[in-house]
Amino acid sequence: MHNDVSQILFSAQDLDRRVREIGADITRDYADVAESEGIVLISVLRGAAIFMGDLARAIELPLEMDYMAVSSYGNGAKSSGVVRILKDLSSEITGRHVIIAEDILDSGLTLTYLMKNLASRNPASIEVATLLRKKTKAQADITCRYVGFECPDEFIVGYGLDYAERYRNLPYIGVLKPEIYQ
């Protein structure tokens, strides 16, 4: 697997440090949230599951974790343009503070759809914590309250990010060699 990566963008140490910083920011920003409102941390499966697990441990407040599976990719390298909910939330989010833990903001298509869907359920607030924000020309205009890293417009894998369900278990984030996905 490591031989398929042309360069490491963010080491395991970089990821650990930045996720702990985001967790501290969330702890500070939500310190006054009433227990009755609560925080629901939502991960978009599968890519963001590792990020959310680490982020949840870095937040020093009571919170609930829930998961959605939302897809716009399939097995390809580019978005299919069609967004589908494959698994919905188990939690009720009405009146609660929602933080979406996203692995990467690329085109923004999936996240835009997800935010509209969740907003229709009347949460107290919705914010986005994205580990990576890719620098792309045609990205949706999405405000992310918490951004881990800006990253180049490359095909990246590791720390939950995949290509055809492979490479998620790499402890770092790296650039996948083009000959692997072309």
Side-chain angles (χ1 to χ4, degrees):
M1 286 192 312
H2 300 284
N3 292 335
D4 294 346
V5 174
S6 64
Q7 101 185 74
I8 295 174
L9 295 175
F10 307 107
S11 70
Q13 294 79 14
D14 295 334
L15 295 166
D16 178 63
R17 177 190 50 77
R18 189 65 188 116
V19 171
R20 283 188 284 111
E21 290 170 355
I22 294 170
D25 290 345
I26 291 170
T27 300
R28 180 197 65 235
D29 294 346
Y30 288 86
D32 295 331
V33 167
E35 181 95 18
S36 61
E37 291 174 315
I39 297 170
V40 182
L41 191 58
I42 297 174
S43 170
V44 179
L45 293 172
R46 299 177 199 152
I50 293 172
F51 170 52
M52 186 171 93
D54 288 348
L55 181 61
R57 289 189 303 242
I59 298 171
E60 296 181 15
L61 297 169
L63 59 81
E64 184 175 342
M65 296 168 60
D66 205 342
Y67 303 88
M68 290 184 83
V70 181
S71 175
S72 67
Y73 283 89
N75 279 336
K78 296 199 185 259
S79 175
S80 66
V82 177
V83 179
R84 299 179 303 142
I85 292 180
L86 305 175
K87 182 216 174 289
D88 208 343
L89 296 175
S90 302
S91 306
E92 175 62 47
I93 64 168
T94 301
R96 300 178 76 193
H97 295 280
V98 170
I99 301 172
I100 301 169
E102 179 68 297
D103 55 353
I104 185 168
L105 177 53
D106 194 341
S107 69
L109 174 69
T110 303
L111 189 55
T112 298
Y113 173 85
L114 179 62
M115 291 177 73
K116 286 179 185 175
N117 181 288
L118 295 175
S120 73
R121 303 177 196 200
N122 301 312
S125 66
I126 300 176
E127 297 293 349
V128 176
T130 187
L131 179 62
L132 302 169
R133 185 170 198 141
K134 195 178 270 193
K135 297 176 185 175
T136 61
K137 294 175 186 161
Q139 190 175 86
D141 185 24
I142 297 174
T143 300
C144 296
R145 186 165 182 181
Y146 309 99
V147 177
F149 300 97
E150 298 285 339
C151 71
D153 189 9
E154 301 279 352
F155 199 107
I156 55 177
V157 294
Y159 196 70
L161 296 158
D162 76 301
Y163 171 65
E165 298 304 325
R166 296 186 64 211
Y167 310 103
R168 290 189 195 277
N169 58 323
L170 292 174
Y172 54 80
I173 293 175
V175 177
L176 191 63
K177 292 178 180 175
E179 58 267 23
I180 304 300
Y181 59 88
Q182 289 178 339

